[in-house]
Amino acid sequence: MVAPIQLVLLGATGSIGESTLKVLRKHPGEVSLLGIACHSNVEKSLAIAAEFQVPHLSIYDEDAFFKANAPPGTQLHCGIEGLLELATLPGATHVLFAMVGVTCLRPALDSIREAKTLVLANKEILVLAGELITSQARQHNATLVPADSEHNAIHQCLQGSQHKEIHKILLTASGGQFRDATREELENVTLEQALRHPNWDMGPKVTIDSSTMANKGLELIEARWLFDILPERIQVVVHPQSIVHSMVEFNDGSILAQLSPPDMAFALQNAIFHPRRLERTLPTLDFSQTLQLDFQPPDDQRFPCLRLAREALEAGGAAPASFNAANEIAVQAFIDKLLPYHYIPKVIERTLTYMPALKPQSFQEILEADQMARETALRETQI
């Protein structure tokens, strides 16, 4: 009999957290939830703690923390210290990183040093520090399992294959809600339009990133480090249906693809229980019905964020971190209605142009480069 997974979920109240809890409800005897973390959603996190009898709850925001009354048997934690405590909980076998932003970077490094299995649904960890994270994981025998649908698909396609057999990774993209928009239409996009994704139910930041294809740019950077693959061997393919989540082309010309409905529960279940395959949480594809799959190359002219991400990856050093920071600042300015939608890639490009060629070697130097890029991008949003 397989012992239950001892899981810590950092980011329990967001969309990834909700999908994870769906999986846990389906398989109650397979996972024990040792700890959860949220930013400030006290009511929702307390409800989760009570439902799953969670012994540790971390609330990042201090004001929210002092408003919380934990259920019996649940210990409260706060701030970055709370995240670090949960990331290194004795007895925890898996830590799922679902919080958005750079906050997860230090907890991820601490989890790696404890040789835990890291289930990665946070992009910034590998975008900012891919080389450091992967080298530390090798050094400490920690396991990195991707939970993003695209990277998890690649992870599944590679099972049983050798690295030298990979010819190319084909990273699929929905193309977002504006994949057929003209340049003129993109200049008049409203916030309400940008928040309506045709396939996926995601948070505001990721939904907007999908519409600009910055999200795919970040995933391109992640894939380089997760699968130890050169940038020129990663090709982005627009697939509007979001059913083929990614593909791998091998040296012999064979291409393996992973298919499932566009719901994160499929990738999360695979990542949490890898290498086991348990009963599905949700219904899968029905091939007794007509199914259409379309593929086309991305348009770098209309969606320059993808080109900028590739250029940042090829430049190396702090450039990927600068791309991420500039994108975050620009997207927030758009959400706050301080910046037009079509200026998002302009802020990113200017930030990458003005940032010095830094080669951060440590966690602290990575954070300093990130902060410098944010300050640069913030100046570029003042139009």
Side-chain angles (χ1 to χ4, degrees):
M1 184 175 177
V2 178
I5 289 168
Q6 306 297 314
L7 178 68
V8 170
L9 173 55
L10 304 183
T13 59
S15 61
I16 298 295
E18 290 176 357
S19 294
T20 301
L21 297 176
K22 281 185 197 175
V23 173
L24 269 54
R25 291 185 185 103
K26 176 67 177 179
H27 303 284
E30 301 287 348
V31 181
S32 292
L33 197 54
L34 293 191
I36 60 173
C38 72
H39 182 268
S40 57
N41 196 333
V42 172
E43 184 176 350
K44 192 171 182 178
S45 60
L46 290 176
I48 296 167
E51 177 186 355
F52 290 90
Q53 299 181 331
V54 181
H56 297 274
L57 165 59
S58 180
I59 301 171
Y60 189 81
D61 182 80
E62 189 173 302
D63 291 337
F65 169 79
F66 285 113
K67 295 175 184 176
N69 292 310
T74 298
Q75 180 180 347
L76 289 179
H77 307 264
C78 183
I80 186 62
E81 293 80 10
L83 293 180
L84 295 175
E85 288 180 87
L86 264 64
T88 56
L89 270 181
T93 57
H94 293 59
V95 183
L96 199 163
F97 291 85
M99 300 181 80
V100 175
V102 301
T103 308
C104 276
L105 182 53
R106 188 176 163 200
L109 284 167
D110 281 10
S111 285
I112 285 171
R113 289 166 187 146
E114 295 290 324
K116 298 189 185 298
T117 294
L118 283 72
V119 181
L120 299 176
N122 167 289
K123 299 186 187 307
E124 290 82 4
I125 289 172
L126 287 170
V127 172
L128 267 71
E131 188 170 9
L132 176 62
I133 288 289
T134 52
S135 65
Q136 286 285 300
R138 288 191 296 270
Q139 181 180 335
H140 296 281
N141 293 315
T143 302
L144 306 179
V145 183
D148 260 353
S149 62
E150 294 84 358
H151 299 106
N152 182 260
I154 297 163
H155 172 72
Q156 292 190 54
C157 290
L158 289 174
Q159 298 306 302
S161 300
Q162 297 181 44
H163 185 272
K164 65 182 181 181
E165 297 172 334
I166 303 170
H167 177 68
K168 186 189 296 181
I169 282 175
L170 298 161
L171 195 65
T172 58
S174 71
Q177 47 273 59
F178 308 125
R179 60 177 167 256
D180 298 318
T182 65
R183 286 192 184 185
E184 292 73 22
E185 288 170 334
L186 290 173
E187 291 182 1
N188 297 294
V189 168
T190 66
L191 178 59
E192 291 70 27
Q193 291 171 325
L195 291 175
R196 290 197 296 265
H197 196 282
N199 300 342
W200 293 93
D201 181 15
M202 305 176 291
K205 164 67 165 53
V206 180
T207 302
I208 294 169
D209 281 354
S210 178
S211 75
T212 64
M213 294 198 74
N215 196 50
K216 206 53 50 180
L218 295 169
E219 291 174 6
L220 174 73
I221 298 167
E222 286 183 275
R224 185 267 176 269
W225 297 111
L226 272 170
F227 306 110
D228 189 24
I229 194 94
L230 294 175
E232 57 267 27
R233 290 184 177 269
I234 308 171
Q235 180 180 344
V236 174
V237 179
V238 174
H239 168 54
Q241 291 87 2
S242 296
I243 289 174
V244 175
H245 295 288
S246 275
M247 300 172 278
V248 177
E249 180 182 335
F250 293 93
N251 292 334
D252 63 0
S254 297
I255 299 174
L256 295 187
Q258 187 271 332
L259 288 72
S260 65
D263 192 296
M264 280 300 298
F266 290 94
L268 286 161
Q269 175 166 325
N270 179 271
I272 292 168
F273 294 118
H274 175 74
R276 294 188 296 151
R277 291 186 180 271
L278 305 186
E279 183 181 351
R280 70 197 68 177
T281 298
L282 300 174
T284 191
L285 301 170
D286 180 2
F287 283 92
S288 68
Q289 304 296 316
T290 300
L291 183 65
Q292 181 171 323
L293 303 176
D294 298 308
F295 302 94
Q296 62 192 63
D299 186 338
D300 287 353
Q301 296 301 312
R302 286 186 300 131
F303 300 98
C305 288
L306 188 56
R307 169 182 58 81
L308 293 169
R310 188 177 289 278
E311 290 173 0
L313 176 57
E314 291 169 350
S322 298
F323 173 89
N324 175 74
N327 180 60
E328 282 193 19
I329 293 295
V331 169
Q332 189 58 53
F334 170 64
I335 290 173
D336 294 337
K337 300 188 176 180
L338 301 174
L339 190 76
Y341 176 85
H342 66 288
Y343 269 66
I344 292 174
K346 294 181 181 180
V347 169
I348 297 171
E349 186 160 27
R350 290 171 183 169
T351 301
L352 290 171
T353 299
Y354 295 140
M355 279 289 292
L358 302 172
K359 302 287 183 184
Q361 301 296 317
S362 66
F363 168 73
Q364 187 57 41
E365 289 179 356
I366 290 168
L367 291 186
E368 289 171 359
D370 172 75
Q371 184 59 35
M372 185 185 300
R374 288 174 188 276
E375 292 170 359
T376 303
L378 193 59
R379 289 194 296 270
E380 293 305 313
T381 62
Q382 310 302 310
I383 62 171

